[in-house]
Amino acid sequence: MRTELRGTPTSISLPNPNLLQNPQGSLPGALRGCLGSLDGACIEKLLLHCAGALESNDVTLAQQVMWVLNNVASPNGDPNQRLTSWFLRALIARASSLCPTAMPFAATGLARARPMTVTELAGYVDLTPWHRFGFSASNGVILKAVQDRPKVHVLDFGITHCMQWPTLIDALAKRPEGPPSLRITVPSARPPVPPSLNISIEEVGIRLAKFAKFRDVPFEFHVIKPNSAHSDDSIDTALRFRQELASGQLDPSSLGLRDDETLVVNCQSWLRYLPEESGGTTRDPSSRDGFLGFIHGLGPRIVTVTDEDSDLDSSSLTSRIMACFNYLWILFDALETFLPKEGPQKTEYEADIGQKIENIIGFEGDRRIERSESGARFMQRMRRARFQSIQFDEETVKEVKLLLDEHASGWGMKKEEDMLVLTWKGHSSVFTTAWVPDGFDE
Amino acid sequence: MPVELENSSVMTFSNSGSGEASVSSGQQQAPPPPPPPAKKKRNLPGMPDPDAEVIALSPKTLMATNRFVCEICNKGFQRDQNLQLHRRGHNLPWKLRQRTGKEARKRVYVCPEPSCVHHDPSRALGDLTGIKKHFCRKHGEKKWKCDKCSKKYAVQSDWKAHSKTCGTREYRCDCGTLFSRRDSFITHRAFCDALAEESAKSQTNNTAASAPAAPENQKAEDDGKAAAAPAPAPAPPAPEKSLPPAAMPGAGLSRQLGAPPEQQREPENPPAGMLQYMPPAPPPPPSSITIGSNNSSGTTSSSGGSSSGTSTSLFASLFASASATAAAQSTTFSDLIGAMSRTDRSLATEAPSLCLSTNGPASLFSQPPQERRPFLPPPPPPSPHMSATALLQKAAQMGAAATSSSSFLRGFGLATSTAGHPEGLNDGGFHWRPQQQQLEPEPTPILSAGLGLGLPYDTAAAAAAAAAGLPDLMMGPPPLFGPKPATLDFLGLGMGPVGGAATGGLSALITSIGGGGLDMGSGAAAAASAGRFGGGSSPGKAWEGAERKPNSPAIL
């Protein structure tokens, strides 16, 4: 069983090819390989069997396996155990959706108990290099791309509430040719995922503006509002996100582009929330390819894309479980390495990951918004969308390496084609890339 | 040719002091150097004095710390001077180098590493310590490691210098938080209230519009730090916080500082974080966890009994009133989750409904007191107190039982179905466990190598549990369960198909095992992945053995 499913999600190698056809028949057989220890591999198998059981509506088997998992899982154990407890929870959420009886189990909106303050969020994104890796690399190439340009406009699509920009502002402030004037535009639509912040994005912008002023960088901040009022709270938050996005936020006219500006598009942990095209139309900018087409049409100077390097979007539940378990283990393990075991910080961070797990495993259709694709597949997609990758310059790579040196020694980095990939103990975790639209001459 | 280096092979070459540029050492082909300046000017590193003596020491010499050794007692010294002084102690003739004659002849050192820029005599370094350090740093092994942050250094003095600053924050925000990394500091600073205060001050002098009208509002925002006076740096006030500042690589401690004044923090702090993420419905009181006991009062769940276990029926049974008692109705998935996350608590205090034991002596699942222990490890981690083999076994039993009294709760061991279990036990499908009947309320798992699941997690608690007598189900008769054979072939690896009603999923599974082949591919593939998780030797992943959590290695 491999962690990363490169290429099409259907080409999964399973330990027991019969698994999918006959999940029941292979539970003990598959588990036979777990001689001697109840380790990650066994848990994975148990999870798979549970999934198989759910997929084939064999609830009895599902409940049995869940019962076993429940005894294995522990919110206080080692990373595998804790991860398992979140998986189990997600499976239950899924199972509960099989039952039409109204459930008190509100699986959606299982948010963290308390949204973070903005300074807490600043700390949160620096807990591991997970986010800062992309920030550093992207800011590095952006800096280079806007060299000598007097006006810069950044279109920021991401989920970290603009945590990326203080360091860019700082770097621009120190530019030998003097800082450009900087404008940052963000959509108001945001996927309903962690990290959650206790202030609005407008207020974040205000603070950024203050900081820019402090550094003497001329600055503007703009939030794209949805065209029509979406006050329908009964709409599922995931759906609302897509709706808002599609409702005209992604329209050149609503972006307020200016001719004399150098346009930079930054997508951090964003594309994975845009689903594939449904139907034949490629004009829907809230779909993944549609969005890329939209961006291409804006003629940006540079497009930076950072996302998770894993295929978590397979239509098969079993493959998703496998991929998810083997991928999110990385964060659990990394957090384990340097956070105190019982600290609330770790718990909260893990809960955020748990929310992701729940979404990937517990839901289907529109409600399943976490649909990461690996860097390799993504690069193909970008090329299809007529973008050309550009290399990260030496200076930026060095900066990123320095960043990693500051963190626990398990973090590393590798280069795959023009992609930089953050690794934990050798496992790929986050990829970051930089692109220019084809035919862009400058 | 002055040579004063004893035990090393030395290539020494030097210019003539007369001022002609010598070709031999590759010195700059410069015009005759100017007369030595009256004041010794400091040369740029790597740009030595043209009339300096260039010395190339071997790597061994450079790395060696004690190059000068006393011939009498073999004591080593880093400097010849010191050796000479020491020799006096042996009443040996000693001589101190005449410094005066050498003063005009500065020595510079080249790096022996050919690819190094300092290998070129025109880039030689000015002092011996310098070249030694350089060589160690650049070309030597990094033996010194900082405990706090795991950075490695080849030169001890570098390591020492780093240790002094490591963990001590170098960047300080006005709010008092310290950061060891600039980017964290910048990011924090951009959003910190302290900045808001500062710009508020300057705002009165400023007509620029970018600042907001009411920075005070933002100050008042629940940022913790603003609420508390800028706490002198990283005192982690939250009671549960045991994180020393140094342990946080570079991350600001704002989070922790923010903790105490948090009004929004949930008053309830469940043992695990999970309950924080419960749905708004208040988590059920612990008593509801023992719905097992509630339900055990004779409630055979309605419906759901069909063996096909339609999804609606089984799960519906969870929510429909499975019993007459209203208590059962409170059972929801949230309870379940609550139960799961309260496992450790519940184990210690109440009937461990999530464990194998439930109430009711006649129940298959209850255990004699002395056997409860392994299944009730004291908090914390209760964790796998049982091997997965055992668990599956149990699950199978419950599955069979479930067919007659299906209840999702029971499926989770939350209920005792006294009626159900003996049936399950005697069910044809379980005839291959005759020993069960001998033992009195012996639930457990007598388990088999066949299933391939052996030791539970190797967590501390499990280890404790194991020590407490948790059977090593793989390896022999569990002392716990008395003199019964442990290695019963659970799933019929060596046995033919089990007969009996293959009603539950696992029973069916068991049945099919007999006929179906067991795929050895799974073993091999499991090795590959087990190697990843189990600390086994997976060659491509060098981190595994060293740094994974110590699960018992998978034995294949």
Side-chain angles (χ1 to χ4, degrees), chain B residues 138-156:
Chain B
K138 273 291 179 63
H139 311 298
E141 178 203 320
K142 297 188 170 176
K143 295 190 305 200
W144 304 94
K145 181 186 164 316
C146 173
D147 325 281
K148 293 180 214 146
C149 72
S150 77
K151 265 194 175 174
K152 292 200 166 98
Y153 294 93
V155 179
Q156 186 175 17

Side-chain angles (χ1 to χ4, degrees), chain A residues 25-292:
Chain A
S26 359
L27 175 57
L31 288 167
R32 193 175 181 210
C34 303
L35 284 179
S37 77
L38 192 56
D39 60 7
C42 287
I43 297 176
E44 199 175 336
K45 291 183 175 113
L46 287 170
L47 288 170
L48 289 177
H49 282 283
C50 188
L54 287 171
E55 272 184 327
S56 57
N57 262 343
D58 182 352
V59 183
T60 314
L61 178 59
Q63 88 180 26
Q64 288 162 353
V65 182
M66 279 193 203
W67 184 88
V68 175
L69 283 170
N70 184 45
N71 280 274
V72 162
S74 163
N76 302 316
D78 71 12
N80 278 332
Q81 283 174 283
R82 289 201 311 279
L83 194 51
T84 304
S85 68
W86 288 107
F87 269 79
L88 186 53
R89 189 190 177 85
L91 287 166
I92 290 177
R94 188 186 186 89
S96 72
S97 67
L98 293 177
C99 176
T101 315
M103 312 281 127
F105 184 81
T108 46
L110 209 65
R112 143 196 300 260
R114 173 186 63 88
M116 288 183 270
T117 65
V118 69
T119 36
E120 284 173 342
L121 179 61
Y124 176 99
V125 302
D126 273 318
L127 212 52
T128 67
W130 199 270
H131 301 281
R132 178 79 51 201
F133 174 77
F135 292 173
S136 267
S138 302
N139 285 351
V141 287
I142 290 174
L143 210 54
K144 201 144 190 301
V146 302
Q147 209 168 17
D148 298 321
R149 306 297 181 98
K151 292 191 177 168
V152 179
H153 182 199
V154 173
L155 271 188
D156 181 28
F157 298 98
I159 58 169
T160 47
H161 306 273
C162 296
M163 285 294 127
Q164 178 170 349
W165 306 121
T167 38
L168 182 69
I169 292 174
D170 178 68
L172 290 174
K174 298 192 300 203
R175 236 174 37 156
E177 65 265 38
S181 61
L182 176 65
R183 199 154 72 92
I184 296 183
T185 299
V186 299
S188 62
R190 183 181 178 279
V193 296
S196 61
L197 188 57
N198 68 348
I199 59 176
S200 67
I201 192 67
E202 285 85 356
E203 298 198 54
V204 173
I206 289 172
R207 293 196 188 220
L208 270 184
K210 265 198 287 206
F211 178 67
K213 186 156 133 57
F214 172 67
R215 296 306 306 268
D216 291 321
V217 176
F219 184 80
E220 283 178 55
F221 190 84
H222 179 58
V223 180
I224 316 171
K225 286 291 194 250
N227 275 349
S228 41
H230 281 278
S231 50
D232 187 0
D233 283 331
S234 66
I235 287 188
D236 180 74
T237 45
L239 290 173
R240 193 179 326 162
F241 163 61
R242 274 207 76 191
Q243 265 185 9
E244 282 186 6
L245 210 51
S247 73
Q249 294 207 19
L250 296 178
D251 192 273
S253 57
S254 52
L255 299 179
L257 300 180
R258 300 173 195 164
D259 287 335
D260 56 348
E261 283 173 334
T262 308
L263 182 63
V264 172
V265 179
N266 181 67
C267 301
Q268 238 239 357
S269 305
W270 172 264
L271 285 179
R272 67 176 184 252
Y273 296 111
L274 304 181
E276 294 286 356
E277 294 287 354
S278 53
T281 64
T282 49
R283 287 298 100 197
D284 176 10
S286 72
S287 68
R288 208 167 291 197
D289 286 326
F291 180 84
L292 293 176

Side-chain angles (χ1 to χ4, degrees), chain B residues 465-552:
Chain B
L470 186 67
D472 178 345
L473 299 163
M474 293 306 303
M475 313 297 178
L480 187 62
F481 300 111
K484 65 178 156 44
T487 56
L488 181 64
D489 195 356
F490 174 42
L491 288 170
L493 282 187
M495 301 173 65
V498 287
T503 49
L506 275 182
S507 311
L509 194 148
I510 291 162
T511 313
S512 60
I513 284 307
L518 290 166
D519 193 351
M520 284 318 294
S522 66
S529 56
R532 258 204 335 256
F533 288 105
S537 56
S538 181
K541 303 206 161 51
W543 294 97
E544 314 271 315
E547 302 190 25
R548 289 278 164 94
K549 287 297 266 185
N551 285 321
S552 346

Side-chain angles (χ1 to χ4, degrees), chain B residues 420-437:
Chain B
H421 297 307
E423 292 166 12
L425 186 58
N426 297 324
D427 189 63
F430 296 96
H431 70 264
W432 39 265
R433 292 179 52 225
Q435 288 83 345
Q436 277 277 333
Q437 289 146 16

Side-chain angles (χ1 to χ4, degrees), chain A residues 24 33-35 43 45 59 64 67 70 89 92 110 117 119 132 170 207 210 213-214 329 347-348, chain B residues 182 187 189 191 193 206 218 222-223 273 277 315 333 337 340 356 399 411-412 452 457 509 548 555-556:
Chain A
Q24 295 178 333
C34 303
L35 284 179
I43 297 176
K45 291 183 175 113
V59 183
Q64 288 162 353
W67 184 88
N70 184 45
R89 189 190 177 85
I92 290 177
L110 209 65
T117 65
T119 36
R132 178 79 51 201
D170 178 68
R207 293 196 188 220
K210 265 198 287 206
K213 186 156 133 57
F214 172 67
W329 167 86
T347 311
E348 286 180 331
Chain B
R182 187 158 194 277
T187 309
R189 189 139 212 286
F191 295 112
D193 287 345
N206 228 328
Q218 287 167 345
D222 190 9
D223 190 274
Y277 307 94
F315 286 104
F333 272 108
I337 304 293
M340 278 174 12
L356 302 170
F412 270 72
Y457 271 113
L509 194 148
R548 289 278 164 94
I555 304 162
L556 293 166

Side-chain angles (χ1 to χ4, degrees), chain A residues 242 270-276 288 307-308 310-315 320 356 359-360 363-374 377 381:
Chain A
R242 274 207 76 191
W270 172 264
L271 285 179
R272 67 176 184 252
Y273 296 111
L274 304 181
E276 294 286 356
R288 208 167 291 197
D307 222 307
E308 293 173 343
S310 182
D311 289 309
L312 301 177
D313 62 342
S314 162
S315 48
R320 290 206 306 277
K356 193 205 287 280
N359 190 265
I360 295 175
F363 298 123
E364 291 294 347
D366 282 332
R367 292 171 78 203
R368 176 159 62 91
I369 58 174
E370 297 268 356
R371 292 172 184 257
S372 303
E373 69 181 333
S374 65
R377 275 176 61 210
R381 183 189 296 271

